[in-house]
Amino acid sequence: MHLDHSHEGPAAVGADALRPDGRRRALRVGLGGPVGSGKTATVAALCRTLRERHSLAVVTNDIYTREDAEFLLREAVLPPERIQAVETGACPHTAIRDDISANLEAVEDLEDAVGPLDLILVESGGDNLTATFSRGLVDAQIFVIDVAGGDDIPRKGGPGVTTADLLVINKTDLAPYVGSDLGRMARDAKEQRGELPVLFTSLKGQDGVAPVADWVRARLAAWTA
Ligand SMILES: Nc1nc2c(ncn2[C@@H]2O[C@H](COP(=O)(O)OP(=O)(O)OP(=O)(O)O)[C@@H](O)[C@H]2O)c(=O)[nH]1
Ligand SMILES: [Mg+2]
């Protein structure tokens, strides 16, 4: 049985926000979602957009490989010492929700090695609609789906779609080719999520990640306030 922490509130900015040396730790943002929806592409684009102004690091999770980390290294989105891979060896959600020890170790190692850091992005391995992060691991979570996965995904709900702090619906450039109705996706997402935000992106376009980067900047501002 999997523990579901999705109903816990956001982590309080309290003692948990401080490192043993008394400095504020980095804001930790998790990215989850189905296989191939664009999580790594979003992480890469966020790094390129935010790295000038902020001190960043990334943790990737893959089941048996280090492919996502290797992609980010090849693309040189950050210096290599700021990218860490966790090989989960099991269902991806297990490592972000049920036994978060390997991921916690990775984020703490990064802060020790290259800190102080403003932001650590933790990418989950691609998983199903129930995949959510433990609030013991991340302060906020982004759920990335894409229009090519079917325009009924927001309507199907599941904890990723309904409770993530931000829902990203990616690959809008593909909508005409796969017959996805973006208006319907927006209405269904609103119905599932109420006031929680939803952003549409196309990472193939110029600066396509900008709305997500703005959302992350707002979270960072709140974290450091
Ligand atoms: N057309 C289009 N392709 C995209 C977009 N975003 C990502 N892709 C492509 O989609 C494929 C999968 O993207 P990834 O970022 O690797 O997806 P992921 O969610 O990290 O995949 P896993 O980690 O394997 O679950 C890649 O070929 C990307 O280039 C987009 O906005 N539009
Ligand atoms: Mg990936």
Side-chain angles (χ1 to χ4, degrees):
M1 194 186 98
H2 301 300
L3 296 175
D4 187 353
H5 298 270
S6 60
H7 298 295
E8 293 168 25
V13 183
D16 171 51
L18 299 178
R19 303 208 7 100
D21 62 8
R23 282 192 313 211
R24 184 194 308 275
R25 67 163 172 78
L27 176 71
R28 299 171 189 162
V29 176
L31 290 97
V35 175
S37 61
K39 298 178 292 298
T40 306
T42 303
V43 167
L46 284 174
C47 288
R48 292 193 181 99
T49 305
L50 299 172
R51 66 189 176 193
E52 300 287 310
R53 290 277 185 93
H54 297 285
S55 179
L56 309 179
V58 172
V59 176
T60 63
N61 281 257
D62 279 302
I63 306 179
Y64 300 121
T65 64
R66 300 163 54 89
E67 286 203 17
D68 284 348
E70 281 158 14
F71 174 84
L72 297 172
L73 287 166
R74 265 199 317 280
E75 294 283 310
V77 299
L78 291 178
E81 63 276 14
R82 288 173 179 257
I83 300 172
Q84 274 232 16
V86 170
E87 266 182 56
T88 60
C91 295
H93 56 255
T94 304
I96 59 163
R97 190 171 65 201
D98 302 335
D99 178 4
I100 59 175
S101 52
N103 273 289
L104 273 181
E105 200 176 309
V107 296
E108 281 162 13
D109 284 354
L110 280 165
E111 288 208 278
D112 287 341
V114 297
L117 290 166
D118 300 319
L119 174 67
I120 302 180
L121 299 172
V122 181
E123 181 188 338
S124 168
D127 209 326
N128 59 42
L129 298 177
T130 68
T132 52
F133 286 80
S134 164
R135 294 292 184 179
L137 175 61
V138 299
D139 306 299
Q141 46 190 314
I142 301 175
F143 200 70
V144 183
I145 62 175
D146 70 278
V147 308
D151 62 6
D152 52 354
I153 294 218
R155 186 175 49 75
K156 287 181 179 169
V161 166
T162 56
T163 69
D165 300 288
L166 174 64
L167 178 67
V168 172
I169 303 179
N170 186 33
K171 307 193 191 180
T172 53
D173 54 296
L174 297 183
Y177 305 105
V178 295
S180 283
D181 179 344
L182 299 183
R184 176 184 163 197
M185 292 183 93
R187 284 191 300 278
D188 290 346
K190 168 90 186 141
E191 196 156 302
Q192 294 284 356
R193 292 173 56 75
E195 294 308 308
L196 288 171
V198 180
L199 294 173
F200 283 85
T201 54
S202 167
L203 300 176
K204 294 293 171 187
Q206 180 77 16
D207 206 15
V209 85
V212 184
D214 287 343
W215 182 87
V216 172
R217 283 192 195 96
R219 297 297 298 220
L220 269 171
W223 180 249
T224 52

Short mmCIF file of all heavy atoms in Angstrom, two decimals, residues 31-44 61-62 67-68 71 123-127 144 146-147 169-174 177 201-205 208, ligand 1:
data_model
loop_
_atom_site.label_atom_id
_atom_site.label_comp_id
_atom_site.label_asym_id
_atom_site.label_seq_id
_atom_site.Cartn_x
_atom_site.Cartn_y
_atom_site.Cartn_z
N LEU A 31 8.72 18.08 -9.66
CA LEU A 31 8.01 17.98 -10.94
C LEU A 31 7.65 16.52 -11.19
O LEU A 31 8.55 15.67 -11.28
CB LEU A 31 8.86 18.49 -12.11
CG LEU A 31 9.10 20.00 -12.11
CD1 LEU A 31 10.44 20.31 -11.47
CD2 LEU A 31 9.03 20.57 -13.51
N GLY A 32 6.35 16.24 -11.27
CA GLY A 32 5.89 14.89 -11.55
C GLY A 32 5.00 14.90 -12.77
O GLY A 32 4.68 15.96 -13.31
N GLY A 33 4.56 13.69 -13.17
CA GLY A 33 3.64 13.60 -14.31
C GLY A 33 3.94 12.36 -15.13
O GLY A 33 4.95 11.69 -14.93
N PRO A 34 3.05 12.07 -16.09
CA PRO A 34 3.20 10.88 -16.91
C PRO A 34 4.50 10.86 -17.72
O PRO A 34 5.12 11.91 -17.95
CB PRO A 34 1.99 10.94 -17.85
CG PRO A 34 1.02 11.87 -17.20
CD PRO A 34 1.83 12.84 -16.41
N VAL A 35 4.89 9.68 -18.17
CA VAL A 35 6.11 9.50 -18.97
C VAL A 35 6.04 10.38 -20.22
O VAL A 35 5.02 10.39 -20.92
CB VAL A 35 6.26 8.01 -19.40
CG1 VAL A 35 7.45 7.85 -20.33
CG2 VAL A 35 6.40 7.12 -18.18
N GLY A 36 7.10 11.13 -20.44
CA GLY A 36 7.24 11.88 -21.70
C GLY A 36 6.44 13.16 -21.79
O GLY A 36 6.36 13.77 -22.86
N SER A 37 5.85 13.62 -20.69
CA SER A 37 4.99 14.82 -20.77
C SER A 37 5.80 16.11 -20.93
O SER A 37 5.25 17.15 -21.31
CB SER A 37 4.10 14.91 -19.53
OG SER A 37 4.88 15.02 -18.35
N GLY A 38 7.11 16.04 -20.58
CA GLY A 38 7.95 17.24 -20.72
C GLY A 38 8.54 17.73 -19.41
O GLY A 38 8.90 18.90 -19.29
N LYS A 39 8.68 16.84 -18.45
CA LYS A 39 9.26 17.23 -17.15
C LYS A 39 10.70 17.67 -17.31
O LYS A 39 11.09 18.75 -16.83
CB LYS A 39 9.16 16.05 -16.15
CG LYS A 39 7.74 15.63 -15.85
CD LYS A 39 7.66 14.44 -14.93
CE LYS A 39 8.18 13.15 -15.54
NZ LYS A 39 7.42 12.69 -16.73
N THR A 40 11.52 16.85 -17.98
CA THR A 40 12.93 17.22 -18.13
C THR A 40 13.07 18.47 -19.00
O THR A 40 13.90 19.35 -18.72
CB THR A 40 13.74 16.07 -18.76
OG1 THR A 40 13.52 14.89 -17.98
CG2 THR A 40 15.22 16.37 -18.77
N ALA A 41 12.25 18.57 -20.03
CA ALA A 41 12.30 19.77 -20.89
C ALA A 41 11.94 21.01 -20.06
O ALA A 41 12.53 22.08 -20.25
CB ALA A 41 11.34 19.60 -22.07
N THR A 42 10.98 20.86 -19.14
CA THR A 42 10.60 21.99 -18.28
C THR A 42 11.74 22.34 -17.33
O THR A 42 12.07 23.52 -17.13
CB THR A 42 9.32 21.65 -17.49
OG1 THR A 42 8.28 21.32 -18.42
CG2 THR A 42 8.87 22.82 -16.62
N VAL A 43 12.36 21.31 -16.74
CA VAL A 43 13.50 21.55 -15.83
C VAL A 43 14.62 22.27 -16.58
O VAL A 43 15.18 23.26 -16.09
CB VAL A 43 14.01 20.20 -15.24
CG1 VAL A 43 15.35 20.38 -14.56
CG2 VAL A 43 12.98 19.64 -14.26
N ALA A 44 14.93 21.79 -17.79
CA ALA A 44 16.02 22.41 -18.57
C ALA A 44 15.71 23.87 -18.86
O ALA A 44 16.56 24.75 -18.69
CB ALA A 44 16.22 21.63 -19.87
N ASN A 61 15.19 11.65 -11.05
CA ASN A 61 14.90 10.27 -10.67
C ASN A 61 14.61 9.45 -11.91
O ASN A 61 13.73 9.83 -12.71
CB ASN A 61 13.63 10.22 -9.79
CG ASN A 61 13.88 10.61 -8.35
OD1 ASN A 61 13.95 9.76 -7.48
ND2 ASN A 61 14.01 11.91 -8.10
N ASP A 62 15.33 8.37 -12.11
CA ASP A 62 15.01 7.41 -13.17
C ASP A 62 14.98 6.03 -12.54
O ASP A 62 15.62 5.79 -11.52
CB ASP A 62 16.08 7.42 -14.26
CG ASP A 62 15.90 8.58 -15.24
OD1 ASP A 62 14.83 8.65 -15.85
OD2 ASP A 62 16.84 9.39 -15.37
N GLU A 67 19.35 8.79 -17.35
CA GLU A 67 19.18 9.47 -18.63
C GLU A 67 18.80 10.93 -18.51
O GLU A 67 19.29 11.77 -19.26
CB GLU A 67 18.14 8.74 -19.49
CG GLU A 67 18.71 7.47 -20.02
CD GLU A 67 18.03 6.98 -21.26
OE1 GLU A 67 17.32 7.76 -21.92
OE2 GLU A 67 18.22 5.81 -21.56
N ASP A 68 17.89 11.24 -17.58
CA ASP A 68 17.45 12.63 -17.47
C ASP A 68 18.61 13.52 -17.03
O ASP A 68 18.81 14.61 -17.57
CB ASP A 68 16.28 12.76 -16.50
CG ASP A 68 14.97 12.27 -17.13
OD1 ASP A 68 14.95 12.05 -18.36
OD2 ASP A 68 14.00 12.11 -16.39
N PHE A 71 20.94 13.98 -19.93
CA PHE A 71 20.41 14.96 -20.89
C PHE A 71 20.72 16.38 -20.40
O PHE A 71 21.22 17.22 -21.16
CB PHE A 71 18.90 14.77 -21.05
CG PHE A 71 18.24 15.82 -21.90
CD1 PHE A 71 18.22 15.70 -23.28
CD2 PHE A 71 17.64 16.94 -21.32
CE1 PHE A 71 17.62 16.68 -24.07
CE2 PHE A 71 17.05 17.92 -22.11
CZ PHE A 71 17.04 17.79 -23.49
N GLU A 123 13.00 16.22 -10.15
CA GLU A 123 12.15 15.61 -11.17
C GLU A 123 11.88 14.15 -10.83
O GLU A 123 12.81 13.36 -10.65
CB GLU A 123 12.80 15.68 -12.56
CG GLU A 123 11.87 15.05 -13.61
CD GLU A 123 12.47 14.88 -15.00
OE1 GLU A 123 13.44 15.59 -15.32
OE2 GLU A 123 11.95 14.03 -15.75
N SER A 124 10.62 13.79 -10.76
CA SER A 124 10.25 12.38 -10.57
C SER A 124 10.41 11.62 -11.87
O SER A 124 10.33 12.21 -12.96
CB SER A 124 8.79 12.30 -10.13
OG SER A 124 8.33 10.97 -10.19
N GLY A 125 10.59 10.32 -11.79
CA GLY A 125 10.46 9.49 -12.98
C GLY A 125 9.03 9.60 -13.48
O GLY A 125 8.11 9.86 -12.70
N GLY A 126 8.81 9.40 -14.77
CA GLY A 126 7.45 9.45 -15.33
C GLY A 126 6.59 8.38 -14.69
O GLY A 126 7.04 7.25 -14.47
N ASP A 127 5.35 8.73 -14.36
CA ASP A 127 4.51 7.81 -13.59
C ASP A 127 3.06 8.02 -13.98
O ASP A 127 2.76 8.62 -15.01
CB ASP A 127 4.74 8.08 -12.10
CG ASP A 127 4.53 6.83 -11.26
OD1 ASP A 127 3.67 6.02 -11.61
OD2 ASP A 127 5.22 6.69 -10.25
N VAL A 144 3.06 17.87 -14.51
CA VAL A 144 3.16 18.18 -15.95
C VAL A 144 2.44 17.10 -16.74
O VAL A 144 2.81 15.92 -16.68
CB VAL A 144 4.64 18.25 -16.40
CG1 VAL A 144 4.72 18.66 -17.88
CG2 VAL A 144 5.45 19.21 -15.54
N ASP A 146 0.53 16.51 -20.88
CA ASP A 146 0.67 17.14 -22.18
C ASP A 146 -0.56 16.86 -23.03
O ASP A 146 -1.30 15.90 -22.77
CB ASP A 146 1.94 16.66 -22.89
CG ASP A 146 1.85 15.23 -23.33
OD1 ASP A 146 2.07 14.33 -22.49
OD2 ASP A 146 1.54 14.98 -24.50
N VAL A 147 -0.78 17.70 -24.01
CA VAL A 147 -2.02 17.62 -24.78
C VAL A 147 -2.06 16.35 -25.63
O VAL A 147 -3.14 15.85 -25.95
CB VAL A 147 -2.23 18.86 -25.68
CG1 VAL A 147 -2.12 20.14 -24.88
CG2 VAL A 147 -1.29 18.89 -26.86
N ILE A 169 0.01 22.13 -18.51
CA ILE A 169 -0.46 21.35 -19.66
C ILE A 169 0.44 21.74 -20.83
O ILE A 169 0.34 22.84 -21.39
CB ILE A 169 -1.95 21.63 -19.95
CG1 ILE A 169 -2.79 21.31 -18.69
CG2 ILE A 169 -2.42 20.80 -21.15
CD1 ILE A 169 -4.29 21.58 -18.82
N ASN A 170 1.36 20.84 -21.17
CA ASN A 170 2.46 21.14 -22.08
C ASN A 170 2.16 20.66 -23.50
O ASN A 170 1.22 19.91 -23.72
CB ASN A 170 3.73 20.46 -21.51
CG ASN A 170 4.98 20.82 -22.29
OD1 ASN A 170 5.12 21.92 -22.80
ND2 ASN A 170 5.90 19.87 -22.41
N LYS A 171 3.00 21.07 -24.42
CA LYS A 171 2.95 20.65 -25.84
C LYS A 171 1.70 21.18 -26.53
O LYS A 171 1.08 20.47 -27.34
CB LYS A 171 3.05 19.13 -26.00
CG LYS A 171 4.24 18.49 -25.31
CD LYS A 171 4.46 17.05 -25.75
CE LYS A 171 5.48 16.37 -24.85
NZ LYS A 171 5.73 14.98 -25.23
N THR A 172 1.32 22.43 -26.23
CA THR A 172 0.14 22.99 -26.90
C THR A 172 0.35 23.08 -28.41
O THR A 172 -0.62 23.07 -29.17
CB THR A 172 -0.18 24.40 -26.36
OG1 THR A 172 1.00 25.20 -26.45
CG2 THR A 172 -0.63 24.35 -24.91
N ASP A 173 1.61 23.12 -28.85
CA ASP A 173 1.90 23.16 -30.29
C ASP A 173 1.38 21.91 -31.00
O ASP A 173 1.14 21.93 -32.21
CB ASP A 173 3.41 23.33 -30.53
CG ASP A 173 4.23 22.27 -29.80
OD1 ASP A 173 4.21 22.26 -28.55
OD2 ASP A 173 4.87 21.43 -30.46
N LEU A 174 1.20 20.81 -30.25
CA LEU A 174 0.75 19.56 -30.87
C LEU A 174 -0.77 19.43 -30.93
O LEU A 174 -1.29 18.51 -31.57
CB LEU A 174 1.33 18.35 -30.11
CG LEU A 174 2.85 18.22 -30.11
CD1 LEU A 174 3.27 16.94 -29.39
CD2 LEU A 174 3.41 18.21 -31.54
N TYR A 177 -2.54 18.70 -34.21
CA TYR A 177 -2.18 17.43 -34.85
C TYR A 177 -2.86 16.24 -34.18
O TYR A 177 -3.05 15.20 -34.80
CB TYR A 177 -0.66 17.23 -34.83
CG TYR A 177 0.06 18.39 -35.47
CD1 TYR A 177 0.73 19.32 -34.69
CD2 TYR A 177 0.03 18.56 -36.85
CE1 TYR A 177 1.37 20.40 -35.26
CE2 TYR A 177 0.66 19.64 -37.44
CZ TYR A 177 1.33 20.56 -36.63
OH TYR A 177 1.95 21.63 -37.21
N THR A 201 1.67 25.42 -21.78
CA THR A 201 3.00 25.75 -22.30
C THR A 201 3.26 25.00 -23.61
O THR A 201 2.71 23.93 -23.87
CB THR A 201 4.13 25.35 -21.31
OG1 THR A 201 4.01 23.97 -20.97
CG2 THR A 201 4.10 26.18 -20.05
N SER A 202 4.14 25.62 -24.40
CA SER A 202 4.77 24.90 -25.50
C SER A 202 6.25 25.20 -25.41
O SER A 202 6.68 26.34 -25.60
CB SER A 202 4.25 25.37 -26.85
OG SER A 202 5.13 24.83 -27.85
N LEU A 203 7.02 24.17 -25.10
CA LEU A 203 8.45 24.40 -24.89
C LEU A 203 9.20 24.47 -26.21
O LEU A 203 10.40 24.74 -26.23
CB LEU A 203 9.02 23.32 -23.98
CG LEU A 203 8.34 23.30 -22.60
CD1 LEU A 203 8.87 22.15 -21.77
CD2 LEU A 203 8.53 24.62 -21.87
N LYS A 204 8.48 24.23 -27.31
CA LYS A 204 9.12 24.37 -28.62
C LYS A 204 9.14 25.84 -29.04
O LYS A 204 9.89 26.22 -29.92
CB LYS A 204 8.39 23.54 -29.68
CG LYS A 204 8.49 22.04 -29.43
CD LYS A 204 9.91 21.53 -29.60
CE LYS A 204 10.04 20.09 -29.13
NZ LYS A 204 11.41 19.59 -29.12
N GLY A 205 8.29 26.65 -28.42
CA GLY A 205 8.24 28.07 -28.76
C GLY A 205 9.31 28.85 -28.01
O GLY A 205 9.86 28.38 -27.01
N GLY A 208 9.05 29.53 -24.08
CA GLY A 208 7.76 28.89 -23.77
C GLY A 208 7.56 28.59 -22.29
O GLY A 208 6.43 28.41 -21.84
N1 LIG B 1 6.24 19.28 -29.55
C1 LIG B 1 6.65 19.39 -28.30
N2 LIG B 1 7.50 18.48 -27.80
C2 LIG B 1 7.92 18.62 -26.52
C3 LIG B 1 7.52 19.70 -25.71
N3 LIG B 1 8.08 19.55 -24.48
C4 LIG B 1 8.82 18.42 -24.53
N4 LIG B 1 8.73 17.86 -25.77
C5 LIG B 1 9.39 16.63 -26.26
O1 LIG B 1 8.76 15.54 -25.61
C6 LIG B 1 9.68 14.47 -25.40
C7 LIG B 1 9.69 14.07 -23.93
O2 LIG B 1 10.12 15.19 -23.17
P1 LIG B 1 10.85 15.00 -21.76
O3 LIG B 1 11.11 16.35 -21.23
O4 LIG B 1 11.98 14.06 -21.89
O5 LIG B 1 9.67 14.29 -20.96
P2 LIG B 1 9.72 13.72 -19.46
O6 LIG B 1 8.38 14.01 -18.86
O7 LIG B 1 10.90 14.23 -18.74
O8 LIG B 1 9.86 12.16 -19.73
P3 LIG B 1 10.26 11.00 -18.66
O9 LIG B 1 11.29 11.56 -17.74
O10 LIG B 1 10.78 9.88 -19.53
O11 LIG B 1 8.98 10.64 -17.99
C8 LIG B 1 11.03 15.01 -25.86
O12 LIG B 1 11.26 14.54 -27.17
C9 LIG B 1 10.84 16.52 -25.86
O13 LIG B 1 11.66 17.21 -26.79
C10 LIG B 1 6.63 20.68 -26.27
O14 LIG B 1 6.18 21.65 -25.64
N5 LIG B 1 6.23 20.46 -27.55
#
